[in-house]
Every structure is written in structure tokens, then in C-alpha cells.
């Protein structure tokens, strides 16, 4: 089964626009769980422009599904993960002021760093996933540095899907097959949507988890969050 993890960063962005607690990020996360989401994802950034450190602590106290923390593995991020012990930490190569994730790690070029980070987080009892492009070399490199999973950066798939879905999915299938072959888990995320998720899921038999935020929250403005989550789960059924 492929799990749906709802990234709630955009909910925090809306809350922060007024400086109060509306919408309530924790209440929203709990409601997502109630209507079927199988995980909650947050990406706390250094400037706290959406998810705050306090949100991480509050969410950890109440989340009953899988809690996934994404972020660049700075010392501050690593300490936050160690303090809160989510089920999974997803390591992304974002710069501190980056608007959103736009590429995966070049793991061979950062192998020593990522190996130390992975060992540290696994010692804390946290599963480690590394954000990469759909490339077999990067999948193998993730295994070599000790990661439990990889998360495939799916924007290239989303961009090409409307005009050539077969070519769009091809490198992702190869990466998935390599992951299965060497025994590393497979997640995916970025620009997956109601338009392209079902096809992606159908062609990726070893996919364990998708993390979706921007498209899902945008759809909820029109459909409501209950109906939106139901439709995303239908894509993964």
C-alpha cells in the first residue's frame, strides 16, 4: 500500500499571515488523520516562515499516524529531529532562503556528510530518507551512505506528464526497480496532483509513500479537505 502523507506547510503559511492561530495547524493535521491521511509531513525552515519549531513539538505530541520531518540537515534541524523523534526524517539539499525544493542531492559528492548525518539520525531511532532525482546512481549511493529510503523528486515527471506520460514516468520506473533490487525503500513527492498521481502510482509498484502539500491544499480550497483527501486516496487505491 502506498501511504498518503499530507504536507501542512501551506496551512502554517496561511496562519502566519495574520500572526494568530487561525487556521490551527495541529487541529488541521488531526482532521487530516481523521478523514484518512496516513501521515503528516512538515518542513520547518530556519526563518519559520511556515512551520515553526513549536509546531513540531505540538504535532509530535498528538500525531498518531506517521510523522515525517523534511529539511536541510543543519545542526539546528538535526537537534529538532533528535528532540522530537519523528518516524522519518527526509533530508533535502535546500538553501536556507530557498522558496521550495528544486533538486535532489548529488549523494556521491556529499557522501561523507550524508553518511554521518544518516548514522546520527538512525542512532536516534529515526528512519532516514534522502531526496534525490530519479537516477539509479543516486539510488545506489543512498544505500551506500546508509539511508533507509529515497524520496524521488517528481517535478520533472509532473512537468512532462501532460504531453508525454510514458516518457515522463520512464526514469522513475528504472529508479524504483533499482531500489527494489538493492533493498532500499521508495517515496516520492513534489508537484504530484489529482491530475497525475493515479498514473504515477499505477506504474510504480514499489512506491511506499507520497508526500503532497501544495496541490492538495489548493484542491481543498475548492473541494474541502475531506473530499480532497478522499480523492487522493482513491488515486492510490
Amino acid at each position: 500500500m502506498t501511504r498518503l502523507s499530507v504536507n501542512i506547510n501551506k496551512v502554517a503559511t496561511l496562519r502566519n499571515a495574520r500572526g494568530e492561530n487561525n487556521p490551527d495547524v495541529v487541529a488541521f493535521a488531526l482532521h487530516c488523520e481523521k478523514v484518512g491521511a496516513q501521515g503528516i509531513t512538515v518542513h520547518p525552515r530556519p526563518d519559520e516562515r511556515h512551520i515553526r519549531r513549536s509546531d513540531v513539538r505540538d504535532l509530535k505530541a498528538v500525531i498518531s499516524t506517521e510523522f515525517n520531518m523534511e529539511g536541510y540537515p543543519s545542526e539546528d534541524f538535526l537537534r529538532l529531529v533528535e528532540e522530537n523523534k519523528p518516524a522519518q526524517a527526509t533530508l533535502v539539499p535546500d538553501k536556507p532562503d530557498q522558496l521550495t525544493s528544486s533538486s535532489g542531492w548529488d549523494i556521491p559528492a556529499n557522501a561523507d556528510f550524508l553518511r554521518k548525518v544518516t548514522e546520527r539520525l538512525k542512532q536516534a531511532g529515526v528512519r532516514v530518507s534522502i531526496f534525490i532525482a530519479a537516477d539509479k546512481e543516486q539510488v545506489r549511493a543512498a544505500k551506500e551512505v546508509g539511508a533507509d529510503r529515497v524520496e524521488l523528486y517528481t517535478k520533472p515527471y509532473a512537468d512532462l506528464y501532460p504531453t508525454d506520460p510514458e516518457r515522463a514516468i520512464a526514469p522513475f520506473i528504472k529508479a524504483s526497480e533499482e531500489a527494489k533490487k538493492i533493498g532500499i525503500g521508495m517515496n516520492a513527492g513534489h508537484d504530484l496532483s489529482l491530475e497525475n498521481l493515479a498514473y504515477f502510482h499505477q506504474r510504480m509498484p514499489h512506491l511506499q509513500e507520497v508526500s503532497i502539500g501544495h496541490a492538495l491544499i489548493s484542491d481543498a480550497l475548492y473541494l474541502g479537505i475531506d473530499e480532497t483527501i478522499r480523492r487522493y486516496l482513491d488515486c492510490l487505491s
Side-chain angles (χ1 to χ4, degrees):
M1 182 181 69
T2 303
R3 292 177 173 269
L4 172 65
S5 186
V6 177
N7 185 318
I8 60 172
N9 282 6
K10 288 297 187 294
V11 180
T13 300
L14 181 59
R15 175 202 60 191
N16 294 354
R18 289 290 295 268
E20 298 176 350
N21 194 40
N22 186 28
D24 185 320
V25 169
V26 174
F28 186 87
L30 291 174
H31 187 81
C32 289
E33 288 186 317
K34 180 180 178 181
V35 298
Q38 296 135 335
I40 299 296
T41 291
V42 296
H43 188 147
R45 295 181 183 272
D47 60 5
E48 296 193 316
R49 64 178 179 265
H50 36 65
I51 291 294
R52 300 168 180 158
R53 291 167 183 80
S54 59
D55 293 328
V56 172
R57 293 188 286 271
D58 292 344
L59 288 162
K60 172 59 181 177
V62 298
I63 291 298
S64 59
T65 59
E66 182 176 286
F67 190 30
N68 173 45
M69 287 177 60
E70 297 179 347
Y72 179 82
S74 64
E75 183 61 28
D76 285 346
F77 177 79
L78 294 174
R79 288 179 182 172
L80 191 63
V81 172
E82 289 169 330
E83 290 168 4
N84 292 278
K85 291 183 169 53
Q88 177 174 268
T90 301
L91 309 181
V92 297
D94 291 0
K95 298 175 183 178
D97 59 349
Q98 196 161 325
L99 183 62
T100 187
S101 301
S102 59
S103 64
W105 285 96
D106 181 347
I107 299 179
N110 296 275
D112 290 343
F113 172 64
L114 289 172
R115 184 177 292 109
K116 291 176 182 177
V117 167
T118 298
E119 290 174 355
R120 176 174 171 179
L121 293 179
K122 290 175 76 170
Q123 286 176 1
V126 178
R127 185 173 73 232
V128 177
S129 177
I130 300 181
F131 193 66
I132 62 168
D135 180 274
K136 293 196 293 185
E137 178 186 357
Q138 298 297 336
V139 173
R140 290 191 293 268
K143 177 73 172 180
E144 290 169 3
V145 300
D148 302 291
R149 295 188 186 183
V150 292
E151 179 174 327
L152 299 183
Y153 173 54
T154 47
K155 181 173 171 54
Y157 162 77
D159 288 345
L160 187 55
Y161 172 81
T163 57
D164 195 342
E166 188 67 30
R167 188 157 65 94
I169 197 68
F172 293 86
I173 294 174
K174 292 178 181 178
S176 178
E177 290 172 344
E178 184 68 18
K180 179 66 173 179
K181 176 182 175 182
I182 65 176
I184 190 170
M186 174 69 61
N187 299 339
H190 210 289
D191 284 6
L192 294 174
S193 68
L194 289 176
E195 177 186 5
N196 59 43
L197 179 59
Y199 181 81
F200 187 84
H201 176 250
Q202 291 163 7
R203 301 298 303 275
M204 297 282 285
H206 311 306
L207 185 63
Q208 291 169 278
E209 176 185 297
V210 292
S211 174
I212 305 178
H214 184 84
L216 190 151
I217 300 302
S218 297
D219 289 333
L221 295 176
Y222 298 94
L223 302 172
I225 190 60
D226 294 29
E227 176 65 13
T228 297
I229 288 178
R230 185 192 67 78
R231 294 193 187 189
Y232 275 90
L233 290 172
D234 283 348
C235 291
L236 299 173
S237 64

